[in-house]
Amino acid sequence: MTEAIETTEFAGRFPLTDKAVAKDPSEFFATLRSKCPVARSEAFDGFWTVARYSDVSHAALTPETFSNTGGITIPRIPQPPVICIEQDDPEHRKYRKPLQGWFSVKRMQVIEDQVRRVVSGYIDAVIEDGRGDLATILATPVPPTAIALILGLPEKDWSWFRDQEIALLTHAQNGDVEAAGAVHLDVAGYLGNCLAERRRSPQGDMMSDIAALTVDGEPISDSDAVSLAILILGAGLETTVGGIGGMLYQVLKDPDLRDRLIADPSLIAQAVEEALRLETPLPGLARTVSEATTVEGVSMSEGDRVMLLWGSANRDPEVFDSPDEFRVDRPNVQKHLAFGAGVHRCVGAPLARLEMRVVLEEVLRRMPAARLTDPDAVEVTWTVGRDFRRLDAVW
C-alpha cells in the first residue's frame, strides 16, 4: 500500500473498497497524510484525494474553487444532480434555508419521542433473546424508519427504501450504470407519486412541506421536488446507518467505556461526537475543481474530481491528540468534519445526532450488560459510506 501511494497513484482498486481498510483505515489515512497528502487514484474514472485536516477544511470552505455542482459522490451515482447538495450559491442557498427549518434543533426536540418509540420497538422485539446482531436490529432499520416517519411515507415501504439505497450505491461502485439508473427511476417514480398526492391533500409531514415549497415566489417543479425528497431520504439513511454502527462498535467492544457512560449519561452526547469523529460514516465526498489550483504543491486542473477525506482529517494528529483512540472526554471533538464544513455542511446533522443519541441511551438503559461477542468478526464495507455488519452482541 505504501509503495503505491508514494508514487501519488493507487495501484489497482481504491483501498477503501477493501474490507480490512474500510474497517480500520488508520494506517491508510496516516500514510496519506504523512507521505502523500494529495494523491491520485485512477479508480472510478480518476480523482485526487486530499488527506490533511487543513487542506480538507480549506477546500470545503472555498466552494468557488471546489464546487459541488459536478456531483459529490465517488463513484458517481447515475442520477440527475440532487437539489441543494449538488448546487453552489446562490441556487444552493434558496433550497438550504427551508431545509434548515425542517431539520432545526427545535423540530428535532418535537420528534424525539417518535424516534425513541421507533428505537424502543426494535429493542422490544429482541430484548428477551439475550443476543443478536445489533447491525440488523438497530443500525440498519432505525434510520430509514425515522426518516420515512418524518417524511410521512407508509411503514410498509420503509425497508424497501433501505434496500433500494444499498442497491443503488452497490451498482454505482461496481460500475453498473444501467442497474443503478433503474433503481433511481423506481425511487423517483414512487416519490413523485407521493408528492402529487400531497399537493392534492397535504398531511402535515415533510413530504407535504416539499410539495408546497416555493422558490423565488414560484412553486418548485415536480422534478425539483423529487430531487429534494431523494436528498432527504438518502441523507437520512447513509450517514446515520454508518454512524450508529460505528458508535455501537466502539462502545460495545469496550466494557469500561460502556460502564462509564451508564454511570454518567451526561457523557453520551460527547460519545456520539467522538464516534462520528473516529468512525466517520462518510470517509470522503467529492468536489470538482472549477478553476486551476494547487494543493500541497500539486497542480489540479479545471474539471478534476477531488475526494475530501473527512475520515482522514478527523484522525489528523495536528488537530486531535492520539487520534486513533476513542476518548469520550476529548476537549475539541466538535472540530470534527464528519458532517463536512462550510456552506454545504450536512443540513441533516441534527437528525443524525438525535438518532445516534437515542439509540445509545436506549441500548445502555435496556441492555446495560451488552457487549460484542467478537469485535474481530465485525465487518465494514464502503460504497459511498461505511456500513457495519455482524455487530453480534449478548446482553
Side-chain angles (χ1 to χ4, degrees), residues 20 42 117 137 148-149 168 172-173 182 189 197 202 252 292 311 367 374 392:
E42 297 309 324
R117 283 195 294 272
I137 294 167
L149 181 69
L168 179 64
Q173 188 177 94
E197 291 176 3
L252 299 187
M367 304 169 165
D374 185 1
D392 298 319

Side-chain angles (χ1 to χ4, degrees), residues 224-284:
D224 283 355
V226 169
S227 184
L228 265 182
I230 287 174
L231 165 65
I232 294 168
L233 190 65
L237 295 178
E238 190 64 29
T239 302
T240 318
V241 169
I244 293 173
M247 175 186 68
L248 293 177
Y249 171 65
Q250 284 292 331
V251 172
L252 299 187
K253 73 175 184 177
D254 184 347
D256 290 339
L257 171 60
R258 178 202 63 199
D259 292 347
R260 184 179 179 187
L261 294 174
I262 291 172
D264 186 358
S266 69
L267 294 173
I268 288 177
Q270 185 85 347
V272 168
E273 299 303 318
E274 179 69 344
L276 286 164
R277 182 198 68 82
L278 185 61
E279 300 292 357
T280 308
L282 299 176

Side-chain angles (χ1 to χ4, degrees), residues 13 15-24 162 166 169-170 173 238 241-242 280-283 378-390:
R13 303 180 68 192
L16 280 176
T17 62
D18 297 330
K19 287 186 176 181
V21 179
K23 182 177 180 180
D24 182 6
R162 175 58 183 162
I166 293 171
L169 296 174
T170 301
Q173 188 177 94
E238 190 64 29
V241 169
T280 308
L282 299 176
V378 173
E379 296 179 354
V380 182
T381 57
W382 173 81
T383 47
V384 171
R386 297 166 78 224
D387 186 11
F388 284 75
R389 302 176 183 177
R390 296 189 62 188

Side-chain angles (χ1 to χ4, degrees), residues 109-391:
Q109 291 171 343
V110 171
I111 68 169
E112 178 170 338
D113 287 345
Q114 293 176 294
V115 173
R116 197 172 299 276
R117 283 195 294 272
V118 167
V119 174
S120 296
Y122 284 120
I123 292 178
D124 287 343
V126 300
I127 190 69
E128 298 300 327
D129 297 342
R131 63 174 55 242
D133 178 4
L134 292 178
T136 59
I137 294 167
L138 291 172
T140 298
V142 166
T145 304
I147 197 64
L149 181 69
I150 294 166
L151 282 167
L153 302 176
E155 184 174 355
K156 64 181 179 62
D157 296 333
W158 293 346
S159 61
W160 180 79
F161 284 110
R162 175 58 183 162
D163 292 343
Q164 295 299 90
E165 177 80 0
I166 293 171
L168 179 64
L169 296 174
T170 301
H171 291 320
Q173 188 177 94
N174 293 337
D176 193 338
V177 175
E178 184 176 350
V183 173
H184 166 72
L185 289 175
D186 281 348
V187 174
Y190 178 99
L191 294 173
N193 290 334
C194 289
L195 288 163
E197 291 176 3
R198 294 306 193 278
R199 286 195 173 104
R200 292 190 297 267
S201 178
Q203 297 180 19
D205 50 32
M206 197 175 289
M207 288 293 278
S208 300
D209 292 340
I210 296 170
L213 183 63
T214 60
V215 173
D216 293 334
E218 296 292 332
I220 63 172
S221 67
D222 291 346
S223 59
D224 283 355
V226 169
S227 184
L228 265 182
I230 287 174
L231 165 65
I232 294 168
L233 190 65
L237 295 178
E238 190 64 29
T239 302
T240 318
V241 169
I244 293 173
M247 175 186 68
L248 293 177
Y249 171 65
Q250 284 292 331
V251 172
L252 299 187
K253 73 175 184 177
D254 184 347
D256 290 339
L257 171 60
R258 178 202 63 199
D259 292 347
R260 184 179 179 187
L261 294 174
I262 291 172
D264 186 358
S266 69
L267 294 173
I268 288 177
Q270 185 85 347
V272 168
E273 299 303 318
E274 179 69 344
L276 286 164
R277 182 198 68 82
L278 185 61
E279 300 292 357
T280 308
L282 299 176
L285 289 178
R287 300 291 187 266
T288 301
V289 177
S290 57
E291 57 185 18
T293 190
T294 301
V295 181
E296 298 283 354
V298 176
S299 297
M300 298 180 182
S301 302
E302 181 180 352
D304 282 357
R305 300 265 285 165
V306 183
M307 181 184 283
L308 306 185
L309 287 171
W310 314 120
S312 176
N314 285 341
R315 292 172 180 248
D316 192 332
E318 293 296 316
V319 179
F320 303 104
D321 292 336
S322 302
D324 295 322
E325 296 179 9
F326 189 104
R327 293 186 173 180
V328 75
D329 54 358
R330 187 176 297 278
N332 66 340
V333 69
Q334 295 290 344
K335 295 186 71 173
H336 73 73
L337 301 176
F339 294 118
V343 297
H344 287 104
R345 189 175 185 276
C346 178
V347 73
L351 177 60
R353 286 188 165 105
L354 170 63
E355 292 180 49
M356 291 177 66
R357 174 175 60 79
V358 169
V359 166
L360 188 53
E361 287 173 348
E362 291 304 307
V363 166
L364 296 177
R365 183 176 71 85
R366 305 280 305 279
M367 304 169 165
R371 61 175 177 82
L372 295 181
T373 56
D374 185 1
D376 291 338
V378 173
E379 296 179 354
V380 182
T381 57
W382 173 81
T383 47
V384 171
R386 297 166 78 224
D387 186 11
F388 284 75
R389 302 176 183 177
R390 296 189 62 188
L391 290 169

